[in-house]
Amino acid sequence: MTHDLSHNLCNSFDEVVAREGTQSLKFDGRFATFGTHDVMPMWVADMDFAVPEAITKALQARANHPVYGYSIAPESLYESLIDWLLAKHDWQVKREWIVLTPGVVPSLNLVVAALTAENAGVIVQPPVYFPFFSAVTNQNRRLIENPLVLHDGDTNHAHYAMDVEHLDACAKDATLLMLCSPHNPVGRVWSQGELLQILAIAQKHDLIVLSDEIHADLVYANAQHHLLSRLALESEKLISDESHRIITAVSPSKTFNIPGLGLSALIIPNAAHRQAIQSQLNKMGVSVANPFNLVAFEAAYREGDEWLNALMAYLQNTCDEAIEFIQTHLPAINVIRPQGTYLLWLDCRKLKLDHAALNHFFIQEAKLGLSPGSMFGRGGEGFMRMNIGTPKANVMAALLRLKAGLAMKSVAT
Ligand SMILES: Cc1ncc(COP(=O)(O)O)c(C=O)c1O
């Protein structure tokens, strides 16, 4: 019975949901981003799939009540997050640790503003999701870069690692490390060993760690995600929550494809940190809850599990076929196999095109709207990020466009 249900769900991911004309950034924002409507949009990180039915039903039920006034998060919403983190990640979170925020990017800015002083050093590990940089520079803090290291090889062996020695050196001069776990754009799911090394460095240098775990639920079968804060609580054998230096950002938004609704949570065991962050939020006059994001958040965590299992099976299959196609038909491109996220990181350096020429090739010749790797900072040049959160037929059609574009290119040169 369960098997049949997830099988049906898997099939439903093949359905094309037309998104044009829905004020979709990915689709309706194409011209503003790429200068043309004529690209297949595979850039900003949302998916083209219909959300779990339970979310739609919860939103419809709320919309049926005709007053959309100021809202307050019910205790049951906090419980839904606590239950999810315990069931999926084996982490027992206390209610008072949770602070709701209007998104993870606002949370990054909020934590930097609340917990670091002007000109303080903040470590980021490029190539990384670009708002990590602006969260630091927006507030006149100092960026300290610890670039990831790419261990080259063929697709099945190429992988990124953290430069732990350099991180240790950077930490001497820093107040905060912003960790992306799993890591967008390179798709790494950090191992327990790597995370323990981070914790040791953080403890040694009294570093606060902001761990952005928005992709924590989007992990493939070959990897296991470990919540950094849970590991810290276990491994440091802390006597009180107050000495805890890890802040975790989570959200159902990527997992269940509801990022447009804007609701996330910070989990902050340290009471002083929590107070500083809450007071910063109050100073900005930010109102987090609205009638729709509240019901969607709770329905996702309470009823989305089966849908998520089917999604991951579908994405795994898409990913495998896409990688096989690239290996067989696109020798100029080396794809890094992701352990998590619905993002493929394409190494296009063999094409020997500079940033502008690579962009021009993808947009004008292959007719594909991807995210240029250079957006993600150092180490991103020569790469492109492809969003495969779309029916598999779209991904394969995009790869055929890429193949045709590359064939034209080799004829021309
Ligand atoms: C690592 C990471 N953090 C945050 C976000 C965006 O979060 P939000 O939409 O909640 O601001 C993304 C979206 O791609 C992401 O990849």
Side-chain angles (χ1 to χ4, degrees):
M1 180 68 195
T2 309
H3 176 76
D4 282 343
L5 183 57
S6 52
H7 181 70
N8 288 341
L9 275 170
C10 260
N11 288 345
S12 76
F13 294 113
D14 282 327
E15 269 169 39
V16 175
V17 181
R19 298 185 62 195
E20 283 91 354
T22 62
Q23 300 85 40
S24 148
L25 174 60
K26 193 198 253 176
F27 283 78
D28 300 318
R30 258 180 293 189
F31 190 81
T33 306
F34 300 104
T36 169
H37 296 287
D38 189 20
V39 286
M40 240 169 137
M42 305 179 91
W43 57 297
V44 64
D46 65 22
M47 298 186 280
D48 300 335
F49 305 127
V51 302
E53 208 180 344
I55 297 181
T56 307
K57 282 194 172 149
L59 287 167
Q60 282 167 340
R62 182 61 190 85
N64 281 341
H65 187 287
V67 180
Y68 308 121
Y70 296 119
S71 304
I72 179 168
E75 278 309 306
S76 59
L77 178 142
Y78 291 92
E79 280 159 22
S80 72
L81 173 59
I82 292 169
D83 292 349
W84 179 264
L85 291 172
L86 186 60
K88 300 295 276 189
H89 299 282
D90 194 25
W91 190 25
Q92 182 67 64
V93 165
K94 293 186 189 163
R95 160 68 182 87
E96 67 264 26
W97 294 353
I98 302 172
V99 174
L100 294 180
T101 52
V104 172
V105 170
S107 305
L108 303 177
N109 285 274
L110 186 64
V111 171
V112 171
L115 298 187
T116 65
E118 185 131 354
N119 211 33
V122 180
I123 306 170
V124 298
Q125 306 193 98
V128 71
Y129 181 52
F130 47 91
F132 275 48
F133 301 106
S134 50
V136 179
T137 53
N138 281 343
Q139 264 127 180
N140 299 324
R141 273 53 168 178
R142 226 169 356 102
L143 269 176
I144 301 178
E145 297 197 1
N146 179 45
L148 298 182
V149 181
L150 173 57
H151 295 280
D152 264 322
D154 63 33
T155 295
N156 293 319
H157 297 101
H159 70 280
Y160 281 85
M162 280 186 250
D163 185 343
V164 178
E165 225 169 272
H166 189 246
L167 180 63
D168 187 48
C170 293
K172 288 184 189 128
D173 188 29
T175 309
L176 178 72
L177 163 66
M178 289 169 66
L179 182 70
C180 195
S181 176
H183 193 104
N184 171 10
V186 308
R188 263 309 307 277
V189 173
W190 304 114
S191 69
Q192 177 158 334
E194 287 167 309
L195 294 171
L196 289 174
Q197 285 180 302
I198 289 200
L199 290 175
I201 291 171
Q203 193 165 35
K204 178 171 157 197
H205 298 286
D206 198 17
L207 194 66
I208 302 168
V209 185
L210 168 56
S211 190
D212 176 344
E213 307 200 21
I214 194 169
H215 296 282
D217 298 311
L218 297 166
V219 167
Y220 297 109
N222 65 349
Q224 195 194 341
H225 180 74
H226 300 276
L227 277 150
L228 185 72
S229 195
R230 183 183 70 78
L231 281 183
L233 285 166
E234 268 172 18
S235 67
E236 292 179 11
K237 300 194 178 47
L238 298 169
I239 22 177
S240 78
D241 299 335
E242 274 47 53
S243 57
H244 198 33
R245 61 173 67 79
I246 317 298
I247 295 162
T248 310
V250 290
S251 173
S253 62
K254 296 281 158 204
T255 314
F256 298 104
N257 205 26
I258 50 172
L261 294 173
L263 184 61
S264 58
L266 284 171
I267 302 178
I268 318 168
N270 182 309
H273 288 172
R274 207 160 56 232
Q275 221 167 15
I277 287 166
Q278 187 62 63
S279 121
Q280 184 72 29
L281 204 51
N282 297 346
K283 266 193 249 169
M284 288 156 59
V286 174
S287 163
V288 168
N290 70 52
F292 297 105
N293 65 13
L294 294 177
V295 296
F297 185 108
E298 189 168 341
Y301 279 144
R302 285 202 186 286
E303 297 177 73
D305 198 20
E306 187 124 31
W307 181 92
L308 176 59
N309 290 337
L311 171 75
M312 289 317 295
Y314 188 86
L315 287 174
Q316 177 87 66
N317 181 256
T318 304
C319 191
D320 289 347
E321 283 197 28
I323 289 176
E324 195 183 327
F325 183 95
I326 295 168
Q327 286 178 325
T328 312
H329 299 287
L330 309 176
I333 292 180
N334 194 14
V335 53
I336 314 292
R337 185 181 287 279
Q339 297 174 300
T341 79
Y342 49 80
L343 307 165
L344 278 191
W345 187 234
L346 306 177
D347 182 350
C348 308
R349 289 174 301 171
K350 275 194 231 157
L351 293 173
K352 300 211 178 329
L353 299 175
D354 67 16
H355 165 69
L358 187 61
N359 251 352
H360 182 272
F361 166 72
F362 268 86
I363 298 169
Q364 300 299 335
E365 294 171 49
K367 311 262 183 235
L368 295 173
L370 273 57
S371 306
S374 51
M375 287 172 75
F376 302 90
R378 209 188 300 186
E381 311 80 14
F383 289 74
M384 298 294 286
R385 191 191 75 175
M386 178 187 253
N387 178 343
I388 60 163
T390 189
K392 189 170 72 184
N394 283 347
V395 175
M396 300 319 286
L399 291 174
L400 283 174
R401 285 189 184 198
L402 189 50
K403 184 176 175 215
L406 287 168
M408 299 266 289
K409 199 155 200 58
S410 64
V411 168
T413 50

